[in-house]
Amino acid sequence: MTDDTLAEGKAADREKWKEKGVALRAFFYIFGTHVFAGFVWLLFYLGGHAQK
């Protein structure tokens, strides 16, 4: 293997690592947003059914 081939392989590994990081971050942001929305919905539901 030449130095160019090794550099290309390392660059490809870094790109795959970045892609995984972006996908993981997107998953957590989407999951967190849904959890927050569910909590807000729960507050409205409980507020609407509270004894007044």
Side-chain angles (χ1 to χ4, degrees), residues 43-52:
L43 290 178
F44 276 101
Y45 179 81
L46 293 174
H49 288 83
Q51 294 181 1
K52 298 173 184 161

Side-chain angles (χ1 to χ4, degrees), residues 17-32:
W17 181 254
K18 287 180 184 178
E19 288 177 12
K20 287 180 183 180
V22 169
L24 187 62
R25 193 175 308 125
F27 171 76
F28 280 117
Y29 286 160
I30 292 168
F31 179 76

